[in-house]
Amino acid sequence: MKHYLLKVICLFSFFIWSGLATAQKQTIKVIGTLVEEETSQPVPYATVALYTTTTKELITGITSNEEGKFSIPTTSTDFYVVISFMGYQTKTVTEFSISKGSANLGTISLAPDTKMLDAIVVEGETSKTTFELDKRVFNVGKDLSTTGASALEVLNNVPSVNVNIEGEVSLRGSAGVQILINGKPSILADESGNALGTITADMIEKIEVITNPSAKYEASGTSGILNIVLKKDSKKGWNGSISVNTGIPDNHSIGGSINRRTEKFNLFTQFGAGYRSRPRQSETISQNLLNGQTILSDGEEFRNETFFNIRLGTDYHFNKYNIFTLSGNFAYEIEDQPSETDFTFLENEQLVSQWMRNEDTEATNPKWQYELNWTKTFKNNEDHTFQISALGSSFGKDLTSKFVDTTLEGENVDTNQLTATNFEQTNYTFKADYVHPISDSYTLETGALYVMSDVGNNFEVQDFIDGEYVDNLEFTNNFEWNQNVLGVYATAAFETKIWGLKAGLRVENTDLQTLLTNTNEKNSQNFTNFFPSLHTSYKAAENFSIQAGYSRRIFRPRLWDLNPFFSIRNNFNIRTGNPNLQPEFTDSYEITSIYEIGDASLSSSIYHRYTTDVVERVSTFTDNVTFTTPQNIGTNSLFGFETNGKYTPVKWITFNGNFNYTYFQREGVFESQNFDFTGTQWSARLDAKIKLPADIDLELAGNYRSNVETVQGKQSGFAFMDIGLRKKIIKGKIVASLGIRDVFASRIQEIFVNQATFETYNFAQRGRFITFGISYAFGKGEAMSYSGSRRR
């Protein structure tokens, strides 16, 4: 018993003395400041860790603050310091002195990790496509041919997408594409207002190609959805870049991007200003086969623009589970559009008259957009989310034109005209989405969308008669267009590593009202439709997967389709709208295989689309004037095959290819004319991305689009090539880029209309564009290429 008591007393004494000895150890503060070696800028949020010298075990650690400073308390004196941060070489500090309870390491410079940076750059340089259950995601790299380019040029690089010379977007050769910005309708995605020009390549993170959208997405777009996702820099601290660009034809601009990230806030802005000029060559031939009369025109027009735009936004992380985002975008353009067109009037090949038509057009285009978004995540799962957003946008155009006809030979046709356009479009979108992952395999989604659109277009034409301008009531009109769409959806998904299934149903109600005020002509449509969707995927092997999908879609006529009159630029070739136009509906089916082997990947799709009440642009001929108007004509049954491939035979070169072939069968009757026919169309694209010595990259992109038969004639095919060259300086902090689009000036548009009583030919060409840009990045930003360039 005594021995046991003695042992307890000794052990108790040992613990007491050990505790006192530990308590008496002096606390040391290890302090210092981290900066970049090249720029001397602070390095925030780097990891600073203390390790024991003998056992190499971790003692403690901390991250540097926003100024790059750190302070670590420790009672150990036997330690060394290890500093690490992604993108920089790890630094170890073993020599330091301890004085007055402090180990001051001073200012520590971190050098970039060249190997790591190179690896990151290689991953991000080349645009690449990844596949998800109901969509393909085109991750936008720094494609050289899009230097100084707009969203339309980037879209033209996306597999399955084509943008023609007038900026009209098609998907797998079909129009009726719904374009979204960050998953929502946006004035910036309105092709009719050239608004996509305010989005530039450097602002885009990825583009989602959704050929068979699930019920989660708005049902608009018979051929599918393109969702442009904009960047929102997530790097902490100050980041940004500035870019200066120039080009031929005139394309001069300066732009920048700045981001400030803290634990609670992410502040971001992008801005640009500049001047650009876009020439366009055009030629038309209209032949009256009944009386032998012919109208020829040949001219050049310019779109000269001075532009300013700015985007501001902030994310506020209220807490771990709630994020509020407020953002706004404003753009302002001043347009000057001079043109000169020569006209010739022949009768039985004999000259009747020849004259020149000059146009002087000026316009101002303000655009703005704002958005408030709240995202809530739940504690049980970060994918369990609830999101509410409200978006408002507006696009305006105040345009005046003066047309002067001067007789050059033959009969006198001297005349003057004035036109004035006051256009205003306002959209409001309210959206709510709820995602609930019930388990690792099951997910439920539900939500609602309400879109209100209000458009007014006041168009006035005046003719110069007896020394004064008089209103031309035949062409003057005030057209109002109001459309409200309410959509509600629900989807359920089951997905494992091998197999996935997603089914959904969307219900949409459309309320459309149009009014032509000068004639009091009204059009009212109210209809409700169901839009089911079904998608499945199966991973047959590690490198082979299959996807299949079905969806039902709608194409609602837009303002420009419904407005009964909107162009007199060429009095012998007039485009008009049709206020009685009905929506078209499409049932879409698709099967896709994805195969990867070594350094190559291949995806192929077989698809079918059946469309009713197809909207086609039909030409009629009256008094030598061609009127082109959209009409609902029958059905279109389309079968297609598409394949996309990527191959990297060696590290310094990568090939990307796309091929699409379609066969279609049209059936329909318009004004007793039978439009039944069959046709084919195919397109191909091949890119080569080459890494040259001295940090120089080269990109070659070739495109071909075949001719295609239309309801009244055909549209010719064309081939064109883009080239890009880039040089990195100071390890990518400065980047110089050269881009040449349409190298051989071969990207043209030719449309032939061949009818029993008349024939027309329309030709258009934009020509070659050369751009050069240089940019500089600061903080942890990346050098970019920004010009604000818009649609071609």
Side-chain angles (χ1 to χ4, degrees):
M1 182 69 181
K2 291 182 180 180
H3 291 292
Y4 177 76
L5 182 60
L6 182 60
K7 288 181 180 180
V8 171
I9 293 173
C10 291
L11 186 61
F12 181 70
S13 299
F14 174 76
F15 281 121
I16 291 177
W17 285 105
S18 297
L20 291 173
T22 302
Q24 290 175 352
K25 283 187 177 181
Q26 183 182 8
T27 299
I28 300 170
K29 285 189 176 181
V30 182
I31 61 175
T33 303
L34 306 180
V35 298
E36 290 183 335
E37 184 179 81
E38 296 176 350
T39 65
S40 297
Q41 293 289 323
V43 180
Y45 312 111
T47 301
V48 184
L50 306 185
Y51 292 85
T52 60
T53 305
T54 53
T55 64
K56 314 296 184 185
E57 293 180 352
L58 175 68
I59 301 174
T60 186
I62 199 172
T63 58
S64 57
N65 65 16
E66 295 178 8
E67 287 75 35
K69 297 180 179 181
F70 61 88
S71 177
I72 309 177
T74 181
T75 57
S76 174
T77 58
D78 180 29
F79 65 86
Y80 63 93
V81 183
V82 177
I83 301 163
S84 60
F85 193 57
M86 185 176 180
Y88 295 89
Q89 296 178 14
T90 300
K91 193 154 192 172
T92 302
V93 181
T94 57
E95 296 183 2
F96 51 85
S97 58
I98 301 175
S99 175
K100 297 180 181 181
S102 175
N104 191 343
L105 306 186
T107 300
I108 302 171
S109 299
L110 300 183
D113 188 339
T114 305
K115 292 182 179 180
M116 181 176 291
L117 288 176
D118 287 344
I120 295 172
V121 169
V122 169
E123 184 70 20
E125 287 291 338
T126 303
S127 297
K128 61 179 182 179
T129 303
T130 58
F131 292 83
E132 298 182 11
L133 184 59
D134 57 353
K135 61 189 172 186
R136 285 176 290 160
V137 181
F138 183 79
N139 297 286
V140 179
K142 294 181 179 179
D143 296 289
L144 307 184
S145 63
T146 58
T147 297
S150 72
L152 286 167
E153 274 81 33
V154 178
L155 284 172
N156 213 34
N157 283 345
V158 176
S160 307
V161 180
N162 180 71
V163 182
N164 72 9
I165 196 170
E166 296 301 325
E168 295 174 338
V169 181
S170 60
L171 182 59
R172 287 177 170 169
S174 299
V177 184
Q178 171 78 346
I179 301 178
L180 305 177
I181 306 295
N182 293 330
K184 306 177 188 69
S186 171
I187 193 70
L188 298 179
D190 185 357
E191 295 177 65
S192 62
N194 302 339
L196 279 171
T198 63
I199 302 174
T200 51
D202 61 282
M203 298 169 64
I204 301 173
E205 177 182 340
K206 61 184 178 181
I207 297 174
E208 296 176 343
V209 182
I210 312 170
T211 52
N212 252 320
S214 72
K216 176 179 180 178
Y217 298 94
E218 187 182 1
S220 293
T222 50
S223 62
I225 291 175
L226 297 174
N227 181 30
I228 301 174
V229 180
L230 302 181
K231 290 178 181 177
K232 190 182 294 179
D233 204 324
S234 61
K235 301 184 183 74
K236 293 183 178 180
W238 284 101
N239 315 285
S241 61
I242 189 167
S243 176
V244 178
N245 296 270
T246 188
I248 303 173
D250 289 332
N251 186 8
H252 318 296
S253 64
I254 182 170
S257 173
I258 301 175
N259 173 254
R260 167 67 166 163
R261 177 88 183 213
T262 66
E263 291 294 334
K264 286 287 186 181
F265 282 96
N266 179 36
L267 305 174
F268 51 90
T269 180
Q270 292 167 321
F271 54 90
Y275 172 81
R276 57 201 166 201
S277 177
R278 293 291 175 261
R280 178 178 181 269
Q281 301 288 333
S282 63
E283 178 186 350
T284 64
I285 302 174
S286 299
Q287 293 180 286
N288 188 327
L289 301 181
L290 298 179
N291 58 21
Q293 294 179 341
T294 301
I295 301 290
L296 309 176
S297 71
D298 185 5
E300 182 178 29
E301 63 188 61
F302 291 84
R303 191 187 206 102
N304 304 323
E305 296 173 329
T306 301
F307 66 91
F308 311 89
N309 57 60
I310 185 168
R311 178 172 176 246
L312 296 169
T314 181
D315 297 320
Y316 173 55
H317 296 253
F318 181 77
N319 55 36
K320 185 177 180 181
Y321 303 107
N322 292 274
I323 302 174
F324 295 91
T325 299
L326 178 64
S327 64
N329 188 90
F330 177 76
Y332 191 78
E333 297 166 350
I334 303 171
E335 294 185 4
D336 174 26
Q337 300 180 34
S339 72
E340 183 176 293
T341 305
D342 291 328
F343 287 86
T344 302
F345 178 30
L346 302 174
E347 188 166 2
N348 297 319
E349 300 184 359
Q350 298 299 314
L351 178 67
V352 176
S353 183
Q354 186 175 11
W355 67 99
M356 178 174 61
R357 184 174 177 86
N358 286 288
E359 174 189 355
D360 186 9
T361 294
E362 296 180 351
T364 56
N365 307 323
K367 311 182 185 98
W368 59 263
Q369 175 181 302
Y370 64 86
E371 180 179 3
L372 177 63
N373 186 83
W374 169 44
T375 302
K376 176 178 177 54
T377 57
F378 296 85
K379 294 182 180 180
N380 63 330
N381 191 327
E382 64 178 7
D383 294 326
H384 187 186
T385 62
F386 177 64
Q387 186 178 75
I388 296 178
S389 65
L391 184 147
S393 59
S394 175
F395 170 67
K397 180 181 282 287
D398 188 1
L399 180 148
T400 60
S401 299
K402 182 178 182 179
F403 299 92
V404 178
D405 290 345
T406 305
T407 302
L408 301 177
E409 190 175 352
E411 293 182 2
N412 190 338
V413 295
D414 289 357
T415 184
N416 294 347
Q417 282 182 308
L418 295 179
T419 67
T421 300
N422 184 267
F423 174 84
E424 198 71 44
Q425 176 175 347
T426 304
N427 295 328
Y428 295 99
T429 302
F430 304 92
K431 193 170 186 286
D433 296 285
Y434 176 67
V435 181
H436 187 189
I438 299 175
S439 67
D440 291 340
S441 301
Y442 293 93
T443 301
L444 292 178
E445 293 180 280
T446 187
L449 174 73
Y450 187 54
V451 181
M452 299 186 299
S453 301
D454 185 2
V455 182
N457 187 73
N458 192 345
F459 184 68
E460 182 182 18
V461 178
Q462 292 181 319
D463 297 324
F464 191 71
I465 301 175
D466 296 331
E468 63 178 349
Y469 284 98
V470 180
D471 287 345
N472 185 327
L473 299 181
E474 181 182 0
F475 292 143
T476 296
N477 72 64
N478 182 23
F479 189 71
E480 296 179 359
W481 177 84
N482 297 278
Q483 179 176 275
N484 298 328
V485 178
L486 173 64
V488 180
Y489 77 91
T491 69
F494 169 78
E495 191 168 9
T496 66
K497 293 182 179 180
I498 301 297
W499 182 63
L501 180 67
K502 186 175 185 178
L505 177 66
R506 187 179 190 92
V507 182
E508 287 191 351
N509 173 262
T510 303
D511 183 13
L512 173 66
Q513 309 288 332
T514 67
L515 172 64
L516 189 61
T517 59
N518 52 318
T519 62
N520 202 33
E521 183 179 346
K522 298 180 181 179
N523 181 22
S524 179
Q525 299 181 37
N526 190 296
F527 48 89
T528 300
N529 305 102
F530 293 87
F531 301 95
S533 67
L534 181 65
H535 296 81
T536 185
S537 66
Y538 177 69
K539 190 172 184 178
E542 188 64 30
N543 59 351
F544 182 69
S545 302
I546 299 176
Q547 297 175 330
Y550 161 77
S551 66
R552 182 169 172 79
R553 310 292 298 162
I554 183 175
F555 170 74
R556 298 182 182 89
R558 302 155 298 185
L559 168 75
W560 308 108
D561 301 313
L562 299 170
N563 191 350
F565 184 82
F566 60 88
S567 172
I568 65 162
R569 170 166 284 178
N570 183 334
N571 282 327
F572 295 92
N573 193 358
I574 296 177
R575 296 178 301 164
T576 70
N578 177 5
N580 298 313
L581 203 62
Q582 299 296 308
E584 64 178 31
F585 294 88
T586 295
D587 290 284
S588 179
Y589 308 83
E590 180 176 352
I591 298 176
T592 299
S593 65
I594 307 162
Y595 184 66
E596 295 183 2
I597 179 170
D599 296 317
S601 61
L602 183 70
S603 67
S604 299
S605 301
I606 298 174
Y607 57 94
H608 169 58
R609 291 199 295 262
Y610 183 76
T611 305
T612 58
D613 288 328
V614 180
V615 176
E616 292 280 9
R617 296 199 176 275
V618 177
S619 295
T620 57
F621 197 73
T622 304
D623 296 331
N624 295 325
V625 179
T626 302
F627 294 90
T628 303
T629 309
Q631 302 286 350
N632 293 109
I633 301 180
T635 63
N636 184 29
S637 181
L638 182 148
F639 296 87
F641 170 76
E642 181 182 37
T643 186
N644 298 281
K646 178 182 178 182
Y647 179 50
T648 306
V650 290
K651 291 183 179 180
W652 54 270
I653 186 169
T654 298
F655 295 100
N656 286 276
N658 170 258
F659 175 80
N660 184 59
Y661 176 86
T662 58
Y663 167 85
F664 56 88
Q665 182 176 351
R666 289 300 321 272
E667 294 181 356
V669 177
F670 176 72
E671 294 184 349
S672 301
Q673 183 177 354
N674 190 308
F675 284 111
D676 293 357
F677 69 98
T678 60
T680 62
Q681 184 178 25
W682 64 276
S683 63
R685 177 183 174 90
L686 179 63
D687 297 352
K689 295 177 171 59
I690 305 169
K691 298 187 72 65
L692 302 175
D695 267 343
I696 297 176
D697 298 322
L698 172 66
E699 179 185 285
L700 306 173
N703 296 264
Y704 179 77
R705 187 175 178 85
S706 74
N707 57 26
V708 60
E709 187 174 356
T710 63
V711 291
Q712 292 182 294
K714 71 173 183 178
Q715 182 169 326
S716 66
F718 58 88
F720 67 96
M721 172 178 281
D722 298 333
I723 294 178
L725 194 67
R726 180 172 59 224
K727 164 66 177 172
K728 298 177 188 176
I729 306 169
I730 313 179
K731 298 177 180 177
K733 284 294 181 181
I734 297 178
V735 172
S737 303
L738 174 69
I740 306 176
R741 288 190 291 277
D742 196 3
V743 177
F744 303 107
S746 55
R747 187 180 178 187
I748 62 175
Q749 177 175 283
E750 288 183 303
I751 300 175
F752 300 84
V753 174
N754 305 107
Q755 297 296 287
T757 60
F758 71 97
E759 292 182 352
T760 65
Y761 167 76
N762 287 276
F763 169 89
Q765 182 181 33
R766 288 291 185 185
R768 183 185 302 106
F769 290 84
I770 302 174
T771 57
F772 175 77
I774 188 165
S775 62
Y776 168 72
F778 56 89
K780 286 179 285 299
E782 296 178 351
M784 64 178 187
S785 298
Y786 182 97
S787 77
S789 178
R790 63 185 297 165
R791 70 185 292 174
R792 302 291 174 249

